[in-house]
Amino acid sequence: MPVTLETFPLALRDWLCAFLPQEFHWLLSGLLVIIAILTVFGLGFAFITVAERKFLGRFQNRIGPNRVGPFGLLQPFADAVKALTKEDIVPATADKLPHFLAPCVIVSGALLCFAVLPYGRHLVPADLDAGLLYFFAAGAFTELAVFMAGWSSHNKFSLLAGIRALAQLVSYELPLLLATLPAVMAARSLNLQTIVGSQSPAAGLKAGFLPNWHLFSPWGAAGFLIFLIAAIAESNRSPFDLPEGESEIIAGHLTEYSGFKYALFFMGEYFGLIALSGFCATLFLGGWQAPYAALEVIPSWVWFGLKVAALIFTFIWIRATFLRLRMDQLMRFSWKFLLPLALINLGTAAFWLLTAHWQGAWWIALRWFAAAALVIAPYSILGRRLFRGLGARTYEYAPNN
Amino acid sequence: MNLDPLHLCLLLSAALFCAGLAGVLSRSGAIFALLGIELMLNAANLNFAAFWRHGQAAAPDPILFVLFSIAVAAAEAAVGLALVIAFYRHRRTSRLPAASRLKG
Amino acid sequence: MIPPPLPVLAAIAAAALLTAALAMMLRNLIHSALLLVLTWVFVAFFYLWAGAPFLAFAQVVVYVGAISMVVLFAVLLTRRHDPAKPTRPASLARACSALAVSGGAFAVLAWAVLQWRPVPGNPPPAEPSVATLGAALAGPQLHALLITGVILTATLIGAALIASPVEKPDSSQ
C-alpha cells in the first residue's frame, strides 16, 4: 500500500510496530489505537468546550473566554488545572461506592462507543459484524451512571435528577434506535463500514446532483431529524437538559460532585456527544465518504472530522436557541410525536427500498412524491395533535397585542 | 476427574439459578422477587449458549432461542413492575404477603 | 496470543457468581439491583466467550439499557419515604429454608451435570454472522419472530394500562 495522506495513520502504526518483535504486534497496534482515540478525542473534548463557550458568547452577543492564550484557546488547560486542584468533596451521608463509580462509568461507557465508529476508509478500530448493536450496548451505561450519581448523592435534587434522567433516557432511546433502523434496512447489515459503503458516490447521485447520502432521501431526512432530536436528549443537552436543569434543580445529579469528578462527568457527556455525532454522520451523512467522487483527494478521515464538527456546531446552535422543555412536554413529545414518526419512517423506508427499480421520470417523481407525503402527512397531523388546545401564549401582567 | 468447559458452564448456570431461587424464596419484597426471577431466566439462557457452543447443533437456533427469551424477559419485567406499581397504589406497600387477598 | 478459554471462563464464572450472590444477600434493594446489573454484564461476557457477540450486545442493550432502568424506576416509585430502607429476609427460619432448598437444588443439578461424560463431538460451531441469524429469523423462525413481536406489543400496552392511574368516579359531583 503506498503511503498517501489516506493511509498515513496506518503507515505510522506499522512503522512503530516494526520496532517490536512479531509476537507483540497485536498488543502494540491495539494500544496505539487506544492511545490515538484518547488523544484525538481528549483534545477534541478540550477544544469543543472552548468552541462551545466562544460560540455561545457570539450567539448571546458577548465575547466569551479570551484571556488564556491566543483567542482564549488555552482555556481548557486552565480549566483542567482548576478542576484537578479543587477539593474533592464527598457528602457524609453519600453512598460512597456508587458515588465514586458514577463518573468512571459515564466516561468508560462513552469511550467504549468509539471502538466501532469507522473514522476513515481503513480506519475502524473494531470492525464488528453487529457494530450498530454494540454502539447501543455501550451507550446503555450512561443512563445507569446518571442514576447512580443522582441516587448515591443522598440529596433531594440529585434524586429528582436521577428519576428525570431515567424517564428521559428510556423514552428517547426508542426513537433513537428506531431512527437508525432504515439505514440498516438500506445497507442490509449492522456493520457500520457496510452502512457507510451503501452511501458511496460510486453508486450514483441522488436526484442527479445530491450526494448519495441517506440524508438526501425522504426517509433519511426524517430519520436524521428524529435521530438528531433524540441524540440531544440522550446526551442531556439543552433543550432537553432536565436532569441537570441548573435553574430548577441546581444541576441535579452533579450537585454533590466537585473537582475532578465533576470534570469527568463533563468529559463523559462530551465524549457521548462526539460519539453520537460520529454515529449520526456514519448513518445519514455518508460517514467518511466525500460528497462527490472528485473530492476524494481529501483523505476520508478529514471528511469524517468535518462532518462531526458540523454536527457539533449544530448542537451548540440548538443549545443557544431553544428553551428548556417541561417534564410532561418532554414525555409527550417523545411518546406521542417522535416514536410514531420513527415507526412510520420504517414504512417509508420500506416503500423507498421496494420501489428502487422504478424507472422513468414520472415513476421516479411519483416515488419521491409518495415517500415525501408519507413523511410530511404524519408529521403535520401529529404536530397539530401535539399542540391541540394551546392558543397563543398570554401573559398576566403584559398587554396582549 | 477432568472438567470439560461444558461442565463449568453448566455448573455456573446451576449456581446462578440457585442464587436466584434463594433470593426469591427468602424475601417478601415484590421487586426483589422479580430480580431473582430475572437472574434465574439468565441462568437458563446460559445453558442454551453453552450447549450451542459445545453441543452438536450447527444451526444458530439456540442463539435465536436466547434472543426470544431475552425479549420475553423484558416483557415479563415490564408487566411485573407495572403490577407492582398498581399494587402499591392500592395498598401503599410492595410486599408480597400484603397481596393475599384478591378483593382490592 | 489469545488466552486459553478455560481460565477466562473460570474468571467470568467467578465474577458472575460473586456479584449474583452479593446481590441476593444485600439488604439495600438499590445496591442489589446495581450489583445484578453487573451480573448481567458478566453474563454478556460469557456470551462473548462462547462466540455469540450478537447475543452479548443484545443482552447488554435489553438488560442494562431497559430492564435495569425499569426496575430502578419501580424501586423509586414504590419506596416513597426512603429508597435506602433495607429489606430484610422475612425471618431467619425462612432464610434458612430458602438456602436449604436452593442448596439442595444446586446439589441435584451439580450431581446430574457431573454424571454426564463429554462425547467427542463435532468441532465447535463457527461464529454465526449476523447475516445467518437474520436469514434464520426471516426464514424458518419467522413465525416465532412475529409471535414475539405480538407478545411484546401486547405486554407494552398491558403494562401501560395496568400502571396508569385508575380513574375513580368523581365523588365531588
Side-chain angles (χ1 to χ4, degrees), chain B residues 38-86:
Chain B
E38 288 292 335
L39 187 57
M40 285 151 75
L41 266 172
N42 254 297
N45 289 349
L46 273 186
N47 266 354
F48 277 106
F51 277 120
W52 168 76
R53 182 76 171 80
H54 296 285
Q56 322 283 325
D61 288 357
I63 298 218
L64 295 177
F65 205 101
V66 179
L67 276 181
F68 290 135
S69 163
I70 289 177
V72 172
E76 177 245 315
V79 171
L81 291 166
L83 280 173
V84 171
I85 288 172

Side-chain angles (χ1 to χ4, degrees), chain C residues 1-172:
Chain C
M1 278 204 320
I2 295 161
L6 203 54
V8 177
L9 174 64
I12 293 172
L17 270 181
L18 193 72
T19 49
L22 263 181
M24 290 296 128
M25 280 193 290
L26 283 182
R27 298 200 159 168
N28 186 326
L29 193 48
I30 297 234
H31 283 174
S32 295
L34 289 177
L35 265 171
L36 217 52
V37 169
L38 257 183
T39 314
W40 291 331
V41 171
F42 285 123
V43 171
F45 275 121
F46 173 84
Y47 292 144
L48 272 187
W49 172 86
F54 188 83
L55 213 51
F57 303 149
Q59 162 97 4
V60 173
V61 168
V62 173
Y63 275 94
V64 181
I67 293 184
S68 68
M69 297 295 120
V70 180
V71 168
L72 291 172
F73 211 84
V75 173
L76 290 182
L77 282 183
T78 54
R79 300 187 158 261
R80 217 182 194 178
H81 305 295
D82 183 13
K85 198 174 83 186
T87 57
R88 291 198 171 69
S91 66
L92 190 65
R94 187 158 163 202
C96 288
S97 56
L99 265 184
V101 168
S102 58
F106 179 70
V108 172
L109 284 174
W111 176 76
V113 165
L114 292 178
Q115 284 299 304
W116 175 80
R117 292 277 121 242
V119 269
N122 304 341
E127 211 167 282
S129 69
V130 175
T132 343
L133 288 181
L137 275 180
Q141 312 287 347
L142 185 59
H143 31 290
L145 182 70
L146 291 177
I147 290 169
T148 317
V150 171
I151 289 177
L152 281 180
T153 317
T155 44
L156 185 68
I157 296 170
L161 277 181
I162 293 170
S164 62
V166 185
E167 310 257 329
K168 288 197 175 134
D170 204 348
S171 55
S172 63

Side-chain angles (χ1 to χ4, degrees), chain A residues 23 26 95 98 128-131 133-134 136-138 140-141 143-144 147-148 151 154 159 162-163 166-167 170 173 177 190 335, chain C residues 1 28 30-31 34 37 41 54 56-58 60-61 64-66 68-70 72-73 76 82-84 128-131 156:
Chain A
E23 305 88 76
W26 63 276
D95 205 336
L128 290 181
D129 217 13
L133 199 62
Y134 170 89
F136 282 108
F141 289 96
E143 326 170 351
L144 207 61
F147 172 79
M148 276 162 74
W151 181 75
H154 235 270
L159 188 63
I163 300 178
L166 280 187
V170 167
E173 184 95 16
L177 225 157
L190 286 172
W335 289 100
Chain C
M1 278 204 320
N28 186 326
I30 297 234
H31 283 174
L34 289 177
V37 169
V41 171
F54 188 83
F57 303 149
V60 173
V61 168
V64 181
S68 68
M69 297 295 120
V70 180
L72 291 172
F73 211 84
L76 290 182
D82 183 13
S129 69
V130 175
L156 185 68

Side-chain angles (χ1 to χ4, degrees), chain A residues 248-323:
Chain A
E248 36 188 287
I249 51 172
I250 325 174
H253 59 286
L254 302 172
T255 308
E256 302 292 359
Y257 282 94
S258 59
F260 192 57
K261 287 181 190 161
Y262 187 77
L264 276 182
F265 267 105
F266 263 76
M267 192 186 259
E269 283 185 7
Y270 277 92
F271 278 163
L273 183 72
I274 301 172
L276 275 172
S277 306
F279 194 55
C280 186
T282 303
L283 290 174
F284 297 107
L285 302 182
W288 43 261
Q289 316 244 25
Y292 301 105
L295 287 171
E296 275 172 7
V297 284
I298 302 173
S300 55
W301 38 275
V302 173
W303 281 113
F304 185 81
L306 285 177
K307 286 170 187 174
V308 170
L311 279 172
I312 285 177
F313 177 73
T314 316
F315 283 127
I316 295 173
W317 195 355
I318 289 171
R319 174 173 174 186
T321 307
F322 288 102
L323 300 172

